[in-house]
Amino acid sequence: MADRVLVIGADAAGMSAASQALRTAKAAGRDLDVIAVDRGHWTSYSACGIPYWIGGDVASPGALVARTPEEHRANGIDVRLLTEAVAIDTEAGWVEVVDHAAGRRDRFGYDQLVIATGAAPLRPDVPGADAAGIYGVQTLDDGGAVIAHLGGDVRRAVVVGAGYIGLEMAEALVRRGLSVTVVDRAPEPMNTLDPDLGTQVHAAMERMGMDVVTSAAVTAFETGPGGVTAVVTDAGTFPADIVVLGTGVRPATDLARAAGLPLGPSGGLRTDDTQRVADGVWAAGDCVETWDRVRRDWVHVPLGTHANKQGRVLGTNLGGGAARFPGIVGTALTKVCDLELARTGLTEGDAVEAGLDHVAVTIESTTRSGYLPGAEPITVKMVAERPTGRLLGAQIVGRDDSAKRIDVCAMALWTELTVGELAMTDLAYAPPFSSVWDPVQIAARKAADRL
Amino acid sequence: MADRVLVIGADAAGMSAASQALRTAKAAGRDLDVIAVDRGHWTSYSACGIPYWIGGDVASPGALVARTPEEHRANGIDVRLLTEAVAIDTEAGWVEVVDHAAGRRDRFGYDQLVIATGAAPLRPDVPGADAAGIYGVQTLDDGGAVIAHLGGDVRRAVVVGAGYIGLEMAEALVRRGLSVTVVDRAPEPMNTLDPDLGTQVHAAMERMGMDVVTSAAVTAFETGPGGVTAVVTDAGTFPADIVVLGTGVRPATDLARAAGLPLGPSGGLRTDDTQRVADGVWAAGDCVETWDRVRRDWVHVPLGTHANKQGRVLGTNLGGGAARFPGIVGTALTKVCDLELARTGLTEGDAVEAGLDHVAVTIESTTRSGYLPGAEPITVKMVAERPTGRLLGAQIVGRDDSAKRIDVCAMALWTELTVGELAMTDLAYAPPFSSVWDPVQIAARKAADRL
């Protein structure tokens, strides 16, 4: 009889795992019986695309779906939506689920369990935080709820938290015509960058007409009969017809915790590099901790790109092949208003916190040869270890064609290059694409000189 | 007394070397006496920018100059323009020069000699090739000659050679309003790419209104009293009011050859990795051969990016410091009409020629998440060694935001990653910048699967 595989969570990690497991097993002439359950309405969608749907660049949530339930079913995966896993028994090998459509409980036995339960938005622990009109944005269903709330009377939005999701949502709401205030605890927005670069993000937000309130902690939400009416902070009270939370997420691992599975300090599941948690139990995506090759430590970094890769590795191994997830270096980027921003590895603040002897340099250059029209400003900040010269991290802020250059730094971190060697690598140059020394290499050269 | 340094050639390599030598010596408390001679009118300019000047994006040649003679002089370099080196005696330690302005010969003694004589355009060895109206485009003075030739009666241009310079010049001439025919010996334009990608370049050229004639060898130039009148090929005769040559360059090493200095098979000077040629003799830039880390062989790759880096390495060593030029991997890119194109490492054709057991894969993807406006097509071709999986090379052709991704492949070649590992590296993802698997990683994954 074919092994029964049960997948909890039908988004990127879970469905990548399921598809790859079937593909791998089939190539080896084996059958798998795969069931995937999800409490929501959707499969395999781009959660990262939600702000672009809300902002109007994407017409419908369906456009964000990479593969529909029907397509997965045609590939031999038994997808059950509106079906919520509520308990796991790893000893007996079953999962208890509630079928919300039929209103009944079931137990599904399994031989192999895949946990891909994702992450859940954090809510500030202050009065009123559960009021209507306050939205975390993590799932397509969340995105739908925000859109349903928007309309004629909804004019003022407050976004709490100026990280990736907060800023992308703030921009989306400006584009919907709302008046938007962004409040954040840190001295500058985007505190995954050093504050000296955060000031550029701050200015870009103001250029787009946002009201930016920094160093402000939320102390309460004021509410009325219709739900939230204002966000109260220690730097003032801001009226709100809608509130969006960009205050981070936590791994959605309550089920796994209750089942006694191993969790790290972040609450994420601990896997080995095959994505295995325990005998017959696997996990991938936003619910796991990931090995950071630069920090040499486990971290929780909920990003679709890791979820997809981990899901594929998981599926290969579950299906009888061999693959390993080699970790991450902490790369991320986004576009906020007219500014692109990116980071990888450690910021200067991270290096200080880790007690590493280091140098940090910042350079200003242009995205193409300065004599061409369309040459835009770009700032690159680079941190290197002293005395080894090993690159520790990089940050980029600039206009069009800036941020994706972070990939070169990510590759350098991956292979532990020194800044001296990075300055001499063979990067592509032609006037419409770069200065003759790529901005990344100008920064690396300056860091090497400083060492 | 300070060492006398004589630099022949005052463009990227020579002046980078001179500036860095002074800087390094000064930091060590030493003096250098630096003279730089050049037969042309300019110093430290972007030769790569010439097509953009001719095409009208850049208003004047001065805009292409990174550092003027006056600026160099203010930094302590004795720059002598219109001064042509005509003989080198390495035994006695002098260089004979002709001062074209003053019309006299001089001998400059030296303790350290820097040869940065660049490259010279190749001319087809056919009748009429030296006629007026036929231009190689290598120096700012060449660019000025082309612009001087253009005018009311000059309507039809033929560009011979469809490589980087040929295509950039063809586009510049179209933008100047000329009717442009491009003739090339190869079956498809841009034969540093495999022909299956060259077809996309061909189509882009036709979209811009160029007449593209491939598999055509030039057999003669027809001439009249005013110079060239037509280009004769074995595929037809093409009337021309101006002809631009994009038929490659050769290292300008006649002087070095006459002085008995070591040259490789390409005619380029052979240096060690400190850019030293012999005792007291150094060289950098388009006149040298360079170590190719992928081919594991010496190659002649005349590009400004290498010239600048080699010049800096040379100057550091000459000035008493320590630096090495670690070689190249064969990265290049350009933009032709509405198409970006890039390559690094080996093409499939190169791998076949080298007799390497390999797999080649090609994928189609989009430059950003497919559901966003502005998601443009991108093609990535990747070649990997069998059975090791080592990346051998990559080629990219696509619309906006495609070609610079080649840098990730260049970094992977640099550190000899396998395609399997490249597929798992931590590249930046957000919907406006990439699909969730970067197109480069989709190609790497497919290559790994194929292995």
Side-chain angles (χ1 to χ4, degrees):
Chain A
M1 211 175 79
D3 260 16
R4 156 78 67 94
V5 179
L6 182 63
V7 179
I8 308 178
D11 196 6
M15 298 315 278
S16 289
S19 304
Q20 181 68 5
L22 276 172
R23 206 177 297 131
T24 308
K26 193 173 171 190
R30 292 173 44 227
D31 254 0
L32 291 176
D33 173 17
V34 182
I35 301 181
V37 301
D38 197 287
R39 62 183 176 180
H41 292 80
W42 308 90
T43 55
S44 301
Y45 59 86
S46 170
C48 318
I50 295 170
Y52 305 94
W53 167 34
I54 294 175
D57 272 333
V58 176
S60 73
L64 300 180
V65 174
R67 203 172 281 181
T68 62
E70 292 68 36
E71 289 171 310
H72 282 301
R73 285 175 193 131
N75 288 336
I77 302 171
D78 179 2
V79 178
R80 316 279 185 102
L81 297 180
L82 296 175
T83 301
E84 183 170 6
V86 293
I88 298 171
D89 186 328
T90 57
E91 288 292 316
W94 52 251
V95 170
E96 185 166 323
V97 303
V98 176
D99 178 337
H100 291 292
R104 69 159 192 270
R105 287 184 175 245
D106 274 323
R107 275 192 185 174
F108 291 149
Y110 66 77
D111 300 301
Q112 304 280 340
L113 177 65
V114 175
I115 303 177
T117 42
L122 287 169
R123 286 189 173 247
D125 185 19
V126 299
D130 291 321
I134 303 178
Y135 298 94
V137 183
Q138 184 67 10
T139 65
L140 269 194
D141 289 330
D142 294 338
V146 169
I147 286 183
H149 186 102
L150 298 175
D153 284 350
V154 177
R155 298 219 171 79
R156 295 165 307 181
V158 175
V159 175
V160 180
Y164 295 96
I165 292 177
L167 294 193
E168 287 162 9
M169 283 301 300
E171 180 168 353
L173 294 168
V174 168
R175 299 184 63 191
R176 298 278 297 208
L178 276 77
S179 157
V180 174
T181 301
V182 180
V183 302
D184 194 271
R185 314 178 73 107
E188 290 296 348
M190 208 66 204
N191 74 357
T192 54
L193 303 180
D194 284 320
D196 51 330
L197 298 187
T199 56
Q200 290 195 40
V201 180
H202 195 138
M205 293 167 73
E206 291 184 335
R207 277 198 299 278
M208 208 186 183
M210 295 174 193
D211 197 9
V212 184
V213 184
T214 53
S215 302
V218 173
T219 54
F221 295 94
E222 286 180 3
T223 57
V228 69
T229 58
V231 177
V232 184
T233 78
D234 54 13
T237 295
F238 304 95
D241 303 317
I242 183 172
V243 173
V244 172
L245 299 175
T247 38
V249 298
R250 60 171 184 81
T253 49
D254 292 348
L255 277 187
R257 184 189 301 273
L261 291 168
L263 306 181
S266 73
L269 277 154
R270 268 294 166 81
T271 74
D272 64 18
D273 66 2
T274 68
Q275 300 302 133
R276 208 182 68 99
V277 175
D279 199 27
V281 182
W282 309 79
D286 292 358
C287 64
V288 307
E289 290 192 346
T290 300
W291 181 250
D292 186 317
R293 298 161 66 103
V294 181
R295 293 173 190 269
R296 293 167 186 162
D297 198 3
W298 295 93
V299 293
H300 180 238
V301 180
L303 283 177
T305 178
H306 305 326
N308 274 280
K309 292 189 181 75
Q310 290 170 348
R312 187 177 162 89
V313 167
L314 189 169
T316 299
N317 292 310
L318 192 161
R324 53 183 284 276
F325 183 73
I328 66 168
V329 293
T331 314
L333 87 176
T334 191
K335 194 170 179 355
V336 179
C337 312
D338 55 9
L339 205 66
E340 299 184 0
L341 44 102
R343 54 154 291 157
T344 189
L346 307 185
T347 60
E348 186 179 6
D350 293 334
V352 169
E353 201 177 307
L356 292 170
D357 190 7
H358 69 279
V359 297
V361 298
T362 302
I363 65 98
E364 311 285 338
S365 183
T366 52
T367 54
R368 37 174 77 183
S369 291
Y371 51 76
L372 282 187
E376 298 277 4
I378 175 173
T379 304
V380 181
K381 182 169 182 176
M382 206 168 266
V383 184
E385 189 178 51
R386 201 202 311 256
T388 63
R390 180 170 71 110
L391 178 67
L392 289 175
Q395 300 161 70
I396 297 177
V397 175
R399 301 295 181 97
D400 283 359
D401 301 329
S402 293
K404 244 308 203 177
R405 291 169 203 258
I406 203 72
D407 283 347
V408 166
C409 304
M411 293 296 287
L413 285 173
W414 191 268
T415 53
E416 303 193 354
L417 287 197
T418 63
V419 284
E421 185 161 4
L422 173 54
M424 284 290 152
T425 55
D426 186 4
L427 303 186
Y429 160 64
F433 298 94
S434 179
S435 43
V436 68
W437 290 85
D438 190 279
V440 162
Q441 295 190 305
I442 298 174
R445 204 177 68 186
K446 186 170 175 184
D449 283 350
R450 190 68 63 80
L451 291 156
Chain B
M1 212 175 79
D3 261 15
R4 156 79 65 93
V5 179
L6 181 63
V7 179
I8 308 178
D11 196 6
M15 297 316 279
S16 289
S19 303
Q20 180 69 7
L22 276 173
R23 205 177 297 129
T24 307
K26 191 173 173 189
R30 292 174 44 230
D31 252 1
L32 291 176
D33 172 18
V34 183
I35 301 181
V37 301
D38 196 289
R39 62 182 176 181
H41 294 79
W42 307 91
T43 54
S44 302
Y45 58 87
S46 170
C48 318
I50 295 170
Y52 305 94
W53 168 34
I54 295 175
D57 271 334
V58 176
S60 73
L64 299 180
V65 174
R67 202 171 283 180
T68 63
E70 292 68 36
E71 288 170 311
H72 283 301
R73 288 178 191 130
N75 288 336
I77 302 172
D78 180 1
V79 179
R80 314 278 185 105
L81 297 181
L82 297 173
T83 301
E84 184 170 4
V86 293
I88 299 171
D89 186 328
T90 57
E91 288 292 315
W94 51 253
V95 171
E96 185 168 323
V97 303
V98 175
D99 178 336
H100 290 293
R104 69 159 191 269
R105 286 185 176 244
D106 275 321
R107 276 193 185 173
F108 292 150
Y110 68 75
D111 300 300
Q112 306 279 340
L113 176 66
V114 175
I115 303 176
T117 44
L122 287 169
R123 286 189 173 246
D125 184 17
V126 299
D130 291 322
I134 303 179
Y135 298 94
V137 183
Q138 185 68 11
T139 64
L140 268 195
D141 289 329
D142 294 339
V146 169
I147 286 184
H149 186 103
L150 297 175
D153 285 349
V154 177
R155 298 221 169 78
R156 295 164 308 180
V158 176
V159 175
V160 180
Y164 295 95
I165 291 175
L167 295 192
E168 287 162 8
M169 282 301 301
E171 179 168 353
L173 294 168
V174 167
R175 299 183 65 192
R176 296 278 298 209
L178 277 77
S179 156
V180 175
T181 301
V182 181
V183 302
D184 194 274
R185 314 176 73 107
E188 290 296 350
M190 207 67 207
N191 75 356
T192 52
L193 303 180
D194 284 320
D196 51 330
L197 298 188
T199 56
Q200 290 195 41
V201 180
H202 195 139
M205 292 167 73
E206 291 183 336
R207 276 198 299 277
M208 207 184 184
M210 294 175 195
D211 196 11
V212 184
V213 184
T214 53
S215 303
V218 173
T219 55
F221 295 93
E222 287 179 2
T223 57
V228 70
T229 58
V231 178
V232 185
T233 78
D234 55 11
T237 294
F238 304 95
D241 304 317
I242 184 171
V243 173
V244 171
L245 300 175
T247 39
V249 297
R250 61 171 185 80
T253 49
D254 293 347
L255 277 188
R257 185 189 301 273
L261 292 168
L263 307 180
S266 73
L269 278 155
R270 269 295 165 81
T271 74
D272 65 17
D273 66 3
T274 68
Q275 300 302 133
R276 207 182 69 100
V277 175
D279 198 28
V281 182
W282 310 79
D286 291 1
C287 64
V288 306
E289 291 192 342
T290 299
W291 182 251
D292 186 318
R293 299 161 64 104
V294 181
R295 294 172 190 269
R296 293 165 185 164
D297 198 3
W298 294 94
V299 293
H300 181 238
V301 180
L303 283 177
T305 177
H306 306 325
N308 274 281
K309 291 188 181 77
Q310 289 170 350
R312 188 177 161 88
V313 167
L314 190 169
T316 299
N317 292 310
L318 193 161
R324 52 183 286 276
F325 184 72
I328 66 167
V329 296
T331 314
L333 86 174
T334 191
K335 193 168 179 357
V336 179
C337 312
D338 56 8
L339 205 66
E340 298 184 358
L341 45 101
R343 54 153 291 157
T344 190
L346 306 185
T347 61
E348 186 178 8
D350 293 334
V352 169
E353 201 177 305
L356 292 170
D357 191 8
H358 68 279
V359 297
V361 299
T362 302
I363 66 99
E364 311 284 338
S365 183
T366 52
T367 53
R368 37 173 76 183
S369 290
Y371 51 75
L372 281 188
E376 299 278 3
I378 176 172
T379 305
V380 181
K381 182 169 182 176
M382 209 167 263
V383 184
E385 188 178 51
R386 200 198 315 253
T388 62
R390 178 171 74 109
L391 177 67
L392 290 175
Q395 299 160 71
I396 297 177
V397 175
R399 302 296 181 96
D400 283 358
D401 301 330
S402 291
K404 243 315 203 173
R405 291 170 203 258
I406 203 72
D407 283 347
V408 166
C409 305
M411 293 296 288
L413 285 173
W414 190 268
T415 53
E416 302 193 355
L417 287 197
T418 63
V419 285
E421 185 160 5
L422 174 54
M424 285 289 154
T425 54
D426 186 3
L427 303 185
Y429 161 64
F433 297 93
S434 178
S435 43
V436 68
W437 289 85
D438 190 278
V440 162
Q441 295 190 304
I442 297 174
R445 204 177 69 186
K446 186 169 173 184
D449 283 351
R450 190 69 62 78
L451 289 156

